[in-house]
Amino acid sequence: MLWKVLLGTASAVAMMGVSAPAYAGNSQALLKRLHDKGILSDAEYNELLKEDAADAPAPAASAPVVAGDTAKFVRATDSGIGLQVGPATIKFSGSVNGFYVYDNAAKPGANTTVTGGIASVGGNTSAVRNGLLPGFLKVDATTTQNGWDVGAHFGMYPGINSAAWGALGANNGGQPTALATAGIDFRETYLTIGRKGFGELKIGRAIGLFGSEAILNDITLLSSGPTGGNAAPANTTLGRIGTGYIYTDFQPQMTYTTPSMGGLQASVGVFQPLNSLTAGAQNNSSPGFQGKVTYDGAFDAVKLHLWASGITQEHKFVAGGSYTGQGLDVGARTTYGPVTLVGTYYTAKGLGTTVLNLFDTDAAGKPRSSEGYYVQAALTQGKFTLAGSYGASYLNYTDAADRAANPTLVRVNSSAVGQLRYGLNSWVTLIGEYINSNAKAHNGNSATSDAVALGGILFF
């Protein structure tokens, strides 16, 4: 056909080195050029276009989509920091913080000895350290399989100060010397299984239920609070732990949480039984049990969050005998415009003070009773938040024999905290804080320390 002859001629010209545009695979463009130059008449041009269209090969059929090919796709998640790998979502989140802390501590003396006291003793110290939170990096891998939402969750919590390894691991007192290394507290390793209407089952190591709301609503979670010793910084400060609540801790557990029902939600779990930190050797045959109930509601402009949590565990001594540690805490957070108020109270027997099972019994294995509370207020205006809190924890003797054997045992730890926060941006908050800490023993001994903390915390 004429148009094929013309195309062949144009190709031959190109091969002979004559300057000519390349039209391979674009015959219609070549025909138009020939028509524009007057080589083809209108009739010839239109006829050749029809022939070209008739002889053109059919477009190749697109490859069929094979089920499962999406498993090879990798893309960014719609929100947060992470990626979608086929059917799974992998997300990263974390935090970094650091504070310069100057602690004006009580000078040591016979009348400052308080066994279990949280106030610093030993004179003035400076430190650059973590606050109540160490840094942390969380990795969450989630997917939906056969109608179930499942996830694997890992949380690493490294401090910035060098650790002196001992019975408490990375949470031991620090080691401020050259060539030492920071500690990593691997607090979280758990899986989740759930779906709409069922709730969620959690299996692994994660934050406990009893006392968890008290610490999660505490303003010192973002800052320092009482230092718990500043000369050799540990992985974290104490925050308000021991001056308002017993630390919930991260514990091995199997916990079920119901779906939210009109703002009401409940959790119950079976926990690894904990040995006492101060009582005699134990061999516990029964697990611990914890539960929590929360309620979230709004009444006009007032937002309300209520909670109650409980714990119980039987402790058995190797030498014979047993006791049961039990506790209950209740609390509320209310928000009205720029103002947020928090109040919480706990009562316990056989739990001790500050952390679970510290000073929980006397030498005879009788459980000691304890209680505590804190109140807190915060006012936010623009990027600034002004906050303050006061709290105390109390520990009681079992009887006169306990009193006689432990005269310097702590009777009350208390602290007052004033805090100013500035939200630099959505990631970084700058914080200044003043902390007054007090410890009093049953025999009248006491210690007081005043600290100032300046620094910041980043979340992503």
Side-chain angles (χ1 to χ4, degrees):
M1 293 183 179
L2 178 61
W3 70 272
K4 293 182 178 179
V5 175
L6 291 170
L7 289 176
T9 303
S11 299
V13 171
M15 292 177 64
M16 292 170 61
V18 178
S19 177
Y23 292 103
N26 196 354
S27 57
Q28 291 184 4
L30 177 57
L31 291 173
K32 185 177 185 304
R33 178 65 61 89
L34 295 174
H35 172 263
D36 292 342
K37 291 181 177 293
I39 299 174
L40 293 176
S41 66
D42 292 342
E44 291 172 329
Y45 174 63
N46 292 328
E47 183 181 353
L48 291 173
L49 283 178
K50 292 179 181 180
E51 293 182 9
D52 183 33
D55 291 348
S62 58
V65 177
V66 180
D69 278 0
T70 55
K72 302 176 182 178
F73 295 166
V74 177
R75 63 177 178 83
T77 53
D78 295 331
S79 63
I81 298 177
L83 61 155
Q84 188 84 25
V85 183
T89 299
I90 301 174
K91 283 196 174 184
F92 302 90
S93 60
S95 178
V96 180
N97 76 81
F99 296 89
Y100 167 71
V101 179
Y102 179 79
D103 194 7
N104 183 6
K107 293 183 179 180
N111 62 343
T112 62
T113 300
V114 181
T115 304
I118 56 92
S120 300
V121 177
N124 302 342
T125 59
S126 287
V128 176
R129 61 180 301 170
N130 283 121
L132 176 54
L133 278 176
F136 66 82
L137 175 63
K138 292 189 66 178
V139 181
D140 301 281
T142 57
T143 185
T144 300
Q145 298 289 333
N146 296 332
W148 290 91
D149 299 324
V150 298
H153 310 268
F154 304 90
M156 297 165 282
Y157 291 72
I160 66 173
N161 288 97
S162 300
W165 291 94
L168 301 180
N171 294 314
N172 261 37
Q175 181 178 317
T177 60
L179 304 182
T181 58
I184 297 179
D185 178 358
F186 215 124
R187 298 184 185 185
E188 294 178 301
T189 309
Y190 64 93
L191 65 89
T192 52
I193 306 169
R195 66 181 177 188
K196 185 177 180 180
F198 170 81
E200 183 180 82
L201 178 65
K202 177 188 295 182
I203 302 174
R205 184 185 183 95
I207 194 170
L209 300 178
F210 173 73
S212 60
E213 293 290 330
I215 190 171
L216 293 176
N217 286 279
D218 177 10
I219 57 171
T220 68
L221 186 65
L222 303 179
S223 58
S224 171
T227 65
N230 200 50
N235 214 31
T236 72
T237 60
L238 279 175
R240 189 161 285 292
I241 295 172
T243 57
Y245 52 82
I246 296 174
Y247 180 46
T248 180
D249 217 333
F250 288 74
Q251 304 171 56
Q253 61 187 273
M254 300 178 69
T255 297
Y256 168 72
T257 299
T258 69
S260 179
M261 298 167 286
L264 188 67
Q265 194 166 36
S267 300
V268 61
V270 178
F271 284 70
Q272 162 68 31
L274 299 178
N275 291 333
S276 171
L277 289 166
T278 46
Q282 297 179 353
N283 187 11
N284 299 312
S285 58
S286 299
F289 299 93
Q290 296 186 31
K292 181 173 74 172
V293 177
T294 62
Y295 172 76
D296 289 279
F299 305 90
D300 294 328
V302 177
K303 295 180 181 179
L304 190 63
H305 177 67
L306 305 175
W307 70 84
S309 66
I311 183 173
T312 184
Q313 183 195 319
E314 183 183 23
H315 296 259
K316 290 187 176 181
F317 293 106
V318 172
S322 66
Y323 69 97
T324 298
Q326 296 178 321
L328 172 70
D329 96 310
V330 294
R333 183 188 72 234
T334 181
T335 303
Y336 179 74
V339 178
T340 300
L341 303 176
V342 177
T344 182
Y345 168 81
Y346 78 90
T347 180
K349 188 171 185 179
L351 290 188
T353 188
T354 307
V355 299
L356 292 169
N357 308 120
L358 176 66
F359 306 119
D360 53 348
T361 75
D362 63 14
K366 299 176 183 177
R368 293 178 174 135
S369 62
S370 59
E371 62 181 341
Y373 70 93
Y374 78 78
V375 290
Q376 176 179 290
L379 172 66
T380 299
Q381 292 291 338
K383 291 189 173 186
F384 287 94
T385 298
L386 180 64
S389 68
Y390 178 83
S393 290
Y394 299 84
L395 182 65
N396 300 316
Y397 285 130
T398 58
D399 51 29
D402 190 17
R403 179 184 295 274
N406 302 284
T408 64
L409 182 68
V410 63
R411 180 176 70 85
V412 56
N413 282 317
S414 63
S415 68
V417 175
Q419 185 184 97
L420 179 64
R421 302 196 299 264
Y422 176 73
L424 184 66
N425 50 46
S426 61
W427 282 38
V428 178
T429 300
L430 304 178
I431 302 172
E433 189 173 69
Y434 165 75
I435 312 103
N436 172 258
S437 305
N438 292 277
K440 294 182 180 180
H442 282 271
N443 70 347
N445 284 3
S446 64
T448 298
S449 59
D450 295 280
V452 174
L454 297 172
I457 188 167
L458 175 152
F459 288 97
F460 68 88

